[in-house]
Amino acid sequence: VHVLPREVFGKSTFGLAVMMMKWFPIWPLKGPLELKNSKGKTPVLDIGTLEKIRFGEIKVVPGIKRFGNGYVELVNGEKNEVDAVVLATGYRSNVPSWLKEGEFFSKNGFPKSPFPNGWKGNVGLYAVGFTKRGLSGSSYDAIKIAQDIAQVWKQETKQKKQRTNNACHKRCISQF
């Protein structure tokens, strides 16, 4: 996989490449544009992720053995507390090879529920980009997921506030 900067001298890398193809042939056999043309493999456009990995702001970990409530257990036995896990699996779904559950995904690696309902699974499992509807489908999924996470967060924080208020209220009454 080729990793390219998103921009060079303030110009889109892809736009520059297309413009340069008018004057220069695609001669590298394993170059990013040749792979795109021959195998459909798109180069990764880095928008700052590599630097964040380099400086430890993003942690790349070995394979995930299992998900727990608020944590993941890695194949090396390490357990990490997490708020979210982002798995980027590429253009072809290989989900059945690593996600061992039968409710959300079918054997072909796509959600069992068709668009527009294939974005939400059980216990906080979400999927983006399985709609086969390009960026607009991914955008739809991402918006629905963000709304769902916001709703869950509001419910969780509301319940905590209610418990705190009730406890205070009971203490206040018992003092009189």
Side-chain angles (χ1 to χ4, degrees), residues 2-41:
H2 292 275
V3 180
L4 305 172
R6 179 173 61 177
E7 295 178 346
V8 177
F9 305 121
K11 302 284 185 188
S12 157
T13 304
F14 183 75
L16 286 172
V18 169
M19 183 180 69
M20 290 174 63
M21 284 182 357
K22 293 176 184 176
W23 296 287
F24 301 107
I26 304 175
W27 52 268
L29 295 178
K30 301 276 181 172
L33 292 176
E34 178 58 33
L35 284 176
K36 174 71 175 146
N37 288 338
S38 65
K39 303 204 185 287
K41 292 186 176 187

Side-chain angles (χ1 to χ4, degrees), residues 9-10 33-34 37 47 53 57 60 71 77-78 82 89 104 113-114 122 125 130 137-138 155 157 166 170 175:
F9 305 121
L33 292 176
E34 178 58 33
N37 288 338
I47 58 171
I53 291 170
E57 295 175 52
V60 178
Y71 73 92
E78 181 183 337
V82 295
T89 61
F104 191 11
S113 296
N122 296 327
L125 184 59
F130 288 92
S138 294
Q155 287 173 347
T157 56
N166 288 341
K170 287 178 184 176
Q175 290 176 356

